[in-house]
Amino acid sequence: MELAHSVLSDLNFEQILKECAKFSHSQKTTERILQLNPSSNYNEINNRLQKTDCLLVSLHRGESIPIEIFPDIQSIFNTLQVENNPLDEEQFKDFFKILEISSSLKSVLKKSSFNSLKHEVDGLYLNLSGQKQILQIFDESWQISRNASPELNKIYKMIQSAEASIDKKLNSVFEKAKKNNWLHGDNIQLLDERKVIPMKASHKRKIAGITFGQSASGQATYIEPIEVIEIRNELIELESAKKAEIFKILLQLTDYFRDDLDQILKGYESLIQIDLFTCM
């Protein structure tokens, strides 16, 4: 039996739900709270009261429930459903947050004093081995660590070597141009992410290379020396190899969790339910 809308209005039920929603730790929980309706089912009412009472008693005992703001991970579910589609860095950051909170909650709520929440607690998704793998691949800023794989580390070293070679050859050409008074400026400059030498327009043919434009006045011409072009091409190939290796690493890590999709969905739902009861 549903209460008439007028009765709910008289009870200011909608405002009560909004006040409860202020204590939620996720947008999903807030949405669930605002959709709640009174129930006349005895078993449902009794079940909810037991869970709420359990959490209230825990507060009186001075026990804190280790729950904090957690993200909406619908995009993660969508990605896991598509083969050969890896989670990205931001998704892994959010997923790791869910794993951390779930683990902390289970360590507290597994006590017998929280038996009324056993169904939700048992449903939480835990994967300590997976958490360790995530931490081995990402650095503190949630970027792929250069040590995420031996191959990636090798590519990074080759990139550093190529960049050093470019700088060395650029400096050599720059010093030659400076010595001969061909320069229009005192420094190697960056133009469209390329390091170029600013030459006087009248001397631009003194250095073989590719012209990448000129100054507004037309007095300076920006040239990338031919000595660095081949290395630049190698660098472009190395950057492509780095992207491919990062994709491979992310895909392997994603596939580790992909078969657990149903458990992850169940775990996230349990997390929302526990959050909901802490608000009511």
Side-chain angles (χ1 to χ4, degrees):
M1 180 181 70
E2 292 187 3
L3 293 177
H5 180 74
S6 60
V7 176
L8 295 179
S9 180
D10 290 341
L11 292 172
N12 208 10
F13 188 68
E14 184 177 340
Q15 186 58 39
I16 292 172
L17 293 181
K18 288 181 179 179
E19 289 300 316
C20 290
K22 291 179 180 179
F23 298 96
S24 76
H25 295 86
S26 78
Q27 182 59 38
K28 286 291 185 183
T29 308
T30 296
E31 292 171 4
R32 295 289 181 85
I33 292 172
L34 297 179
Q35 292 169 0
L36 287 173
N37 283 302
S39 174
S40 59
N41 183 295
Y42 173 80
N43 290 332
E44 183 180 350
I45 294 170
N46 188 51
N47 180 267
R48 289 183 179 182
L49 283 174
Q50 285 183 2
K51 296 178 190 297
T52 303
D53 185 58
C54 166
L55 292 168
L56 183 60
V57 170
S58 73
L59 290 176
H60 290 159
R61 290 196 303 264
E63 291 181 309
S64 60
I65 308 301
I67 191 167
E68 52 187 290
I69 300 295
F70 59 92
D72 180 354
I73 57 173
Q74 183 59 51
S75 69
I76 292 175
F77 301 142
N78 296 340
T79 300
L80 290 176
Q81 292 179 59
V82 182
E83 292 294 326
N84 297 316
N85 191 21
L87 298 173
D88 61 28
E89 291 89 341
E90 193 64 29
Q91 287 175 312
F92 268 116
K93 179 181 178 180
D94 288 344
F95 185 45
F96 187 80
K97 186 70 172 179
I98 297 297
L99 290 172
E100 273 192 318
I101 294 173
S102 298
S103 181
S104 297
L105 278 173
K106 189 150 192 173
S107 68
V108 172
L109 300 181
K110 67 182 180 181
K111 300 175 185 176
S112 59
S113 54
F114 293 101
N115 274 344
S116 61
L117 288 165
K118 187 176 187 306
H119 176 74
E120 287 76 16
V121 174
D122 287 346
L124 291 171
Y125 177 74
L126 270 63
N127 194 325
L128 296 179
S129 175
Q131 283 181 251
K132 290 180 181 178
Q133 289 194 45
I134 292 173
L135 289 176
Q136 288 172 354
I137 286 175
F138 293 94
D139 60 24
E140 293 181 354
S141 60
W142 285 99
Q143 298 300 308
I144 300 291
S145 168
R146 62 179 293 164
N147 296 314
S149 77
E151 180 63 22
L152 185 61
N153 189 34
K154 177 183 175 182
I155 292 171
Y156 266 105
K157 288 179 179 178
M158 292 172 70
I159 288 174
Q160 285 181 322
S161 177
E163 289 175 338
S165 293
I166 287 175
D167 287 341
K168 183 177 180 180
K169 290 185 179 297
L170 271 172
N171 287 329
S172 175
V173 175
F174 180 84
E175 289 301 321
K176 177 182 177 181
K178 183 178 180 180
K179 181 179 180 180
N180 288 283
N181 196 30
W182 298 338
L183 293 177
H184 188 279
D186 300 321
N187 299 291
I188 295 171
Q189 297 185 19
L190 194 65
L191 190 64
D192 294 332
E193 299 185 357
R194 288 177 180 263
K195 292 179 179 179
V196 294
I197 295 178
M199 298 284 290
K200 292 177 180 177
S202 57
H203 294 294
K204 63 183 180 180
R205 300 188 187 280
K206 298 289 186 180
I207 292 179
I210 297 177
T211 299
F212 279 94
Q214 59 183 21
S215 64
S217 65
Q219 295 181 4
T221 299
Y222 304 109
I223 296 176
E224 182 179 50
I226 196 168
E227 290 91 336
V228 306
I229 293 174
E230 183 177 346
I231 304 174
R232 173 72 63 188
N233 291 336
E234 291 176 8
L235 192 58
I236 291 172
E237 292 179 5
L238 286 170
E239 288 292 344
S240 295
K242 183 178 79 171
K243 289 180 181 179
E245 180 64 14
I246 287 175
F247 180 90
K248 178 182 175 182
I249 291 167
L250 288 174
L251 184 59
Q252 287 177 339
L253 185 59
T254 301
D255 286 343
Y256 176 85
F257 293 101
R258 204 183 301 276
D259 289 341
D260 289 350
L261 177 59
D262 289 342
Q263 294 170 260
I264 295 169
L265 281 165
K266 180 182 177 182
Y268 189 63
E269 176 61 28
S270 294
L271 182 56
I272 292 172
Q273 288 299 316
I274 291 171
D275 188 29
L276 188 150
F277 286 118
T278 64
C279 300
M280 306 303 288

